[in-house]
Amino acid sequence: MKNLTVEDIAERTGMSTAQIDRIERNDELPSLAPLIRIARVMGVRLGTFLDDQQELGPVVFRKKNLKQSDGISFSGASGAEHGNMLYYSLSQDKSGRHMEPFLVDIRPAAKDSFVFSTHEGEEFIFVLEGMIEISYGKNTYVLEAGDCIYYDSIVAHHVHAGNDEPARILGVIYTPY
């Protein structure tokens, strides 16, 4: 509808045409930062890529509906970028939303596999189980169950398990569009 070529999208997002092609063919599910950049260029909200439902009223998510198979791992072609995180959308049936709430299971990963993310918007994280570390700019924050953090996503950041144990967080991402 926007009459954009793959080259136009690549130029406006700072991504390669090859990566845009892989995403378009469903050969690659990129991490959140590239998805946010694509959504911004297309003039749509991030949730458009995850749902496109028509529910205008409230949406209730029941824990009994949380299935391991419904989790999404936002990872690039290598699978290493965010392969240690499994995201469960908690609002996929809500149309027109401006926030993306996720339940995220985080498995331990090698520190040399960390890929920092930057994108427009804000993030809120509440630790439900375990311990996590958030590398944010030049600082590292350690959070345990019951702790939370709210930050601007434009600063380079990475969320990972803070020890060799899995963790679970509630993460809410807001991206302007």
Side-chain angles (χ1 to χ4, degrees):
M1 293 174 58
K2 299 268 184 193
N3 292 322
L4 295 173
T5 65
V6 169
E7 290 77 17
D8 293 335
I9 295 171
E11 180 181 329
R12 294 179 188 182
T13 60
M15 298 166 61
S16 71
T17 56
Q19 185 177 15
I20 299 295
D21 279 334
R22 285 191 306 273
I23 293 167
E24 206 171 42
R25 288 190 315 266
N26 287 324
D27 292 341
E28 176 180 331
L29 180 61
S31 63
L32 283 173
L35 274 180
I36 291 167
R37 290 195 305 266
I38 293 169
R40 188 95 167 134
V41 166
M42 301 303 289
V44 298
R45 60 186 178 75
L46 174 62
T48 301
F49 299 127
L50 305 174
D51 58 52
D52 243 2
Q53 300 297 320
Q54 298 300 316
E55 180 59 53
L56 298 175
V59 171
V60 175
F61 184 92
R62 304 276 183 202
K63 67 180 177 181
K64 68 180 179 182
N65 295 330
L66 184 66
K67 298 178 191 105
Q68 187 76 16
S69 60
D70 292 339
I72 300 169
S73 180
F74 292 103
S75 58
S78 70
E81 292 175 24
H82 298 279
N84 64 315
M85 301 174 83
L86 201 56
Y87 292 78
Y88 302 91
S89 178
L90 300 177
S91 63
Q92 64 188 16
D93 294 336
K94 175 72 174 149
S95 69
R97 66 187 177 274
H98 299 281
M99 298 181 295
E100 294 295 335
F102 293 101
L103 186 61
V104 184
D105 287 332
I106 305 172
R107 295 181 299 270
K111 290 194 181 219
D112 61 353
S113 69
F114 294 168
V115 176
F116 281 73
S117 176
T118 63
H119 53 86
E120 291 185 49
E122 302 168 341
E123 293 185 33
F124 172 81
I125 293 174
F126 184 88
V127 181
L128 297 168
E129 299 171 11
M131 181 176 73
I132 64 166
E133 287 184 3
I134 299 175
S135 300
Y136 182 79
K138 295 180 180 180
N139 298 314
T140 299
Y141 300 92
V142 177
L143 283 75
E144 297 178 347
D147 295 341
C148 63
I149 187 170
Y150 188 115
Y151 55 86
D152 292 316
S153 306
I154 198 69
V155 176
H157 58 280
H158 188 275
V159 179
H160 47 275
N163 52 21
D164 289 330
E165 300 293 323
R168 177 173 271 188
I169 63 172
L170 169 66
V172 181
I173 299 171
Y174 165 77
T175 54
Y177 67 95

